[in-house]
């Protein structure tokens, strides 16, 4: 598997699947979640509403993942995952790693061979960027998956630098 990090906009990625750092409601929000819903259009929201009405009546649990159409995005699918809120007193790295592993498991079921990830939980969920980058890189490297390309797409320079350092990019 080829793993890389770039600075950019995840909604512009031409990959099989983009991962959405969703909230448990699956109904949109701020940050990456809001950007994906805005750019992808109403098809994504409608697909999420159908999931909420059927399989996920209580919402999507932290660390889990589910796929929908990508609507008007250049990708084929959106894989929604709910990251943990950071807590200095309680370790949450296992839940964060699960977001990446479960997203790759869902990608395999689609089947998707190229996936773009954001920095899950580093926005409003306050996960420290350096720690999140390490968790993400390890989880992806250790995953048993048929995905051939994983691209971490980071919005700002600081987050990009942290992920690039974890991946040995300079």
């Amino acid at each position: 598997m080829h793993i890389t990090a770039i600075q950019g906009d995840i909604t512009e990625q031409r990959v099989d699947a983009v991962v959405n750092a969703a909230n448990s409601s699956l109904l949109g929000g701020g940050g990456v979640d809001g950007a994906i819903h805005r750019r992808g259009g109403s098809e994504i929201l409608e697909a999420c509403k159908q999931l909420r009405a059927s399989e996920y009546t209580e919402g999507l649990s932290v660390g889990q993942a589910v796929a929908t159409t990508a609507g008007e995005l250049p990708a084929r699918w959106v894989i929604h995952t709910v990251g943990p809120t950071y807590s200095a007193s309680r370790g949450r790295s296992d839940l964060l790693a699960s977001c990446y592993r479960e997203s790759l498991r869902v990608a395999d079921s689609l089947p998707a061979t190229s996936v773009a990830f954001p920095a899950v939980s580093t926005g409003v969920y306050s996960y420290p960027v350096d720690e999140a980058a390490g968790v993400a890189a390890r989880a992806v490297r250790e995953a048993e998956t048929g995905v051939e390309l994983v691209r971490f797409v980071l919005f700002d320079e600081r987050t990009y630098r942290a992920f690039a350092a974890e991946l040995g990019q300079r």
Side-chain angles (χ1 to χ4, degrees):
M1 169 187 347
H2 180 69
I3 306 170
T4 188
I6 65 167
Q7 185 175 353
D9 182 344
I10 199 161
T11 68
E12 297 176 354
Q13 300 304 301
R14 295 190 180 280
V15 292
D16 293 330
V18 295
V19 175
N20 179 18
N23 63 54
S24 63
S25 77
L26 295 174
L27 302 178
V32 171
D33 194 17
I36 286 174
H37 277 271
R38 281 189 302 279
R39 173 95 190 267
S42 62
E43 285 181 68
I44 297 172
L45 181 58
E46 288 307 313
C48 287
K49 286 179 179 179
Q50 289 175 7
L51 287 170
R52 284 299 308 270
S54 59
E55 301 167 62
Y56 298 97
T57 57
E58 300 296 317
L60 186 64
S61 297
V62 173
Q64 297 302 301
V66 65
T68 65
T69 180
E72 297 175 31
L73 295 173
R76 292 177 65 191
W77 299 286
V78 173
I79 299 172
H80 307 267
T81 190
V82 180
T85 300
Y86 181 74
S87 169
S89 62
R90 296 189 333 193
R92 298 278 174 91
S93 62
D94 56 333
L95 289 171
L96 183 57
S98 180
C99 291
Y100 292 96
R101 285 191 307 270
E102 287 298 306
S103 293
L104 291 171
R105 182 190 60 75
V106 169
D108 285 336
S109 74
L110 292 172
T113 59
S114 57
V115 178
F117 280 101
V120 176
S121 285
T122 62
V124 296
Y125 291 176
S126 303
Y127 221 99
V129 170
D130 292 333
E131 188 176 337
V135 171
R138 278 189 302 281
V140 168
R141 283 184 179 128
E142 295 171 1
E144 293 184 24
T145 181
V147 172
E148 298 168 3
L149 169 67
V150 168
R151 182 181 304 145
F152 289 104
V153 182
L154 300 317
F155 192 72
D156 62 66
E157 178 71 23
R158 179 175 173 270
T159 307
Y160 163 73
R161 282 195 318 264
F163 275 74
E166 280 296 330
L167 297 174
Q169 289 179 216
R170 298 290 169 212

